[in-house]
């Protein structure tokens, strides 16, 4: 065999060996490419999932923050409405009972501020219901206490104004009447009772006991009975005012003063306590949601 034949055979052998080798190498390269593609795909999916979760967390955080701000706004409005109703009550009560009776009658204060006080009673009750709805618990508790103190304040100032207006009506109607007129006699008898009570030394509790317990003699109780008897003889149109005037005259001045001062102070204290609780929530100091 010549060299050409040997070369041909060698080339054929090399070719026969090279083809499988190329196939094996190509297969390895293909597997490596597939693995690289799979790794790249997994990394891409992981990156996409991380980006999605981050975006979702951001949306959720924004939604929570928006809801928190919305809820805070509702609570702020509820707290403000309650405080404004309390302020309305305090203003109306002060205007209703300050100054001379004659001046208040001439300006129609008893009518206008009496109506304002009645409106404030309703307004603060309604506002407290909204506070109870919006919460949290602590401001709701303080709101209930504030409503109670406000109602007490309204009652005290309203009763005082009613007594002052009734006394003014009775005295105005009595002006110019004869001393033996039933209305004049009633006013005189009531003023005698009032004078004895103003100098009563044993205090409000002892006075109440003396007026209502008939087991022992009492000059003040006898004078009270005289005034009640004369009340039945005055014109019927004035009897309601007369009864209010007499009832107010039977109250010890120390008790009247203590009631008013106590109602004013307790109202202010309750208002400050509610304000502190409301601020704690709005400033984020409360953990209640």
């Amino acid at each position: 065999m010549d060299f050409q034949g040997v070369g041909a055979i060698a080339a054929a052998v090399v070719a026969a060996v090279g083809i499988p080798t190329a196939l094996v190498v190509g297969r390895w390269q293909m597997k490596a490419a597939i693995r690289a593609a799979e790794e790249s795909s997994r990394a891409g999916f992981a990156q996409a999932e991380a980006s999605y979760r981050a975006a979702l967390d951001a949306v959720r955080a924004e939604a929570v923050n928006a809801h928190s701000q919305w809820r805070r706004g509702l609570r702020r409005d509820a707290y403000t409405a309650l405080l404004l109703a309390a302020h309305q009550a305090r203003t109306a009560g002060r205007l209703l009972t300050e100054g001379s009776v004659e001046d208040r009658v001439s300006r129609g204060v008893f009518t206008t501020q009496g109506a304002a006080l009645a409106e404030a009673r309703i307004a603060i009750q309604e506002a407290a219901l909204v506070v109870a709805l919006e919460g949290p618990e602590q401001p709701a508790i303080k709101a209930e206490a504030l409503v109670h103190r406000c109602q007490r304040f309204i009652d005290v100032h309203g009763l005082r104004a009613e007594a002052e207006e009734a006394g003014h009506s009775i005295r105005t109607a009595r002006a110019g009447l004869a001393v033996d007129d039933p209305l004049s006699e009633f006013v005189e008898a009531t003023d005698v009772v009032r004078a004895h009570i103003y100098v009563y030394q044993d205090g409000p509790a002892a006075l109440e006991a003396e007026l209502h317990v008939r087991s022992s003699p009492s000059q003040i109780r006898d004078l009270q009975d005289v005034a009640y008897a004369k009340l039945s003889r005055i014109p019927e149109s004035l009897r309601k005012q007369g009864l209010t005037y007499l009832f107010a005259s039977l109250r010890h001045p120390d008790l009247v003063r203590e009631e008013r001062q106590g109602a004013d102070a307790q109202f202010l204290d309750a208002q400050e306590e509610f304000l502190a609780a409301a601020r704690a929530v709005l400033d984020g100091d409360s953990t209640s949601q």
Side-chain angles (χ1 to χ4, degrees):
M1 180 179 297
D2 56 16
F3 286 109
Q4 290 181 346
V6 172
I9 292 172
V13 171
V14 170
V17 173
I19 290 174
T21 302
L23 290 174
V24 171
V25 171
R27 186 176 180 183
W28 285 348
Q29 290 176 341
M30 182 179 67
K31 287 184 176 180
I34 291 173
R35 283 197 298 270
E38 288 176 346
E39 291 296 331
S40 177
S41 177
R42 280 195 292 269
F45 278 123
Q47 181 63 35
E49 184 177 8
S51 298
Y52 170 76
R53 290 185 178 278
L56 186 60
D57 290 343
V59 170
R60 286 175 176 169
E62 184 178 352
V64 169
N65 182 63
H67 180 269
S68 177
Q69 292 298 322
W70 170 75
R71 189 67 181 274
R72 183 178 182 277
L74 291 179
R75 286 173 170 172
R76 181 182 180 86
D77 290 344
Y79 302 162
T80 300
L82 183 63
L83 289 170
L84 288 176
H87 176 72
Q88 178 186 352
R90 282 191 53 79
T91 301
R94 178 177 58 81
L95 294 175
L96 189 62
T97 54
E98 284 187 357
S100 68
V101 176
E102 290 74 14
D103 178 62
R104 282 176 280 160
V105 169
S106 65
R107 293 188 292 111
V109 169
F110 288 115
T111 300
T112 58
Q113 297 307 321
L117 207 56
E119 291 175 1
R121 184 192 294 271
I122 297 173
I124 198 169
Q125 290 172 335
E126 292 176 344
L129 289 175
V130 180
V131 171
L133 175 64
E134 296 299 336
E137 182 179 8
Q138 193 62 19
I141 292 174
K142 297 301 182 181
E144 184 178 356
L146 177 57
V147 170
H148 176 71
R149 296 305 184 189
C150 180
Q151 290 176 337
R152 177 60 178 161
F153 172 90
I154 290 172
D155 289 340
V156 169
H157 283 259
L159 287 173
R160 177 181 174 182
E162 184 180 353
E164 290 175 335
E165 186 178 21
H168 182 271
S169 298
I170 290 294
R171 292 187 174 279
T172 300
R174 183 240 185 143
L177 296 178
V179 293
D180 58 351
D181 183 271
L183 184 57
S184 295
E185 292 180 350
F186 166 73
V187 172
E188 180 65 25
T190 302
D191 286 348
V192 171
V193 173
R194 181 192 296 267
H196 278 75
I197 287 178
Y198 263 72
V199 297
Y200 194 85
Q201 298 295 321
D202 296 336
L207 175 62
E208 287 295 309
E210 184 172 341
L211 288 174
H212 295 93
V213 178
R214 296 182 173 271
S215 58
S216 59
S218 167
Q219 181 185 14
I220 290 182
R221 191 170 61 245
D222 292 341
L223 294 172
Q224 170 193 254
D225 293 342
V226 170
Y228 272 119
K230 293 185 180 298
L231 174 65
S232 64
R233 297 177 54 225
I234 71 174
E236 188 173 352
S237 60
L238 292 172
R239 284 179 191 169
K240 181 180 179 180
Q241 292 96 321
L243 181 62
T244 300
Y245 179 58
L246 176 55
F247 177 76
S249 300
L250 292 169
R251 307 195 72 211
H252 197 286
D254 289 347
L255 178 62
V256 174
R257 182 171 54 256
E258 290 171 5
E259 283 183 345
R260 184 178 182 185
Q261 292 175 348
D264 290 359
Q266 290 171 0
F267 188 13
L268 282 175
D269 289 344
Q271 183 173 291
E272 288 299 320
E273 289 177 5
F274 172 76
L275 184 58
R279 282 175 173 165
V281 172
L282 296 178
D283 292 342
D285 295 338
S286 175
T287 58
S288 300
Q289 299 295 327

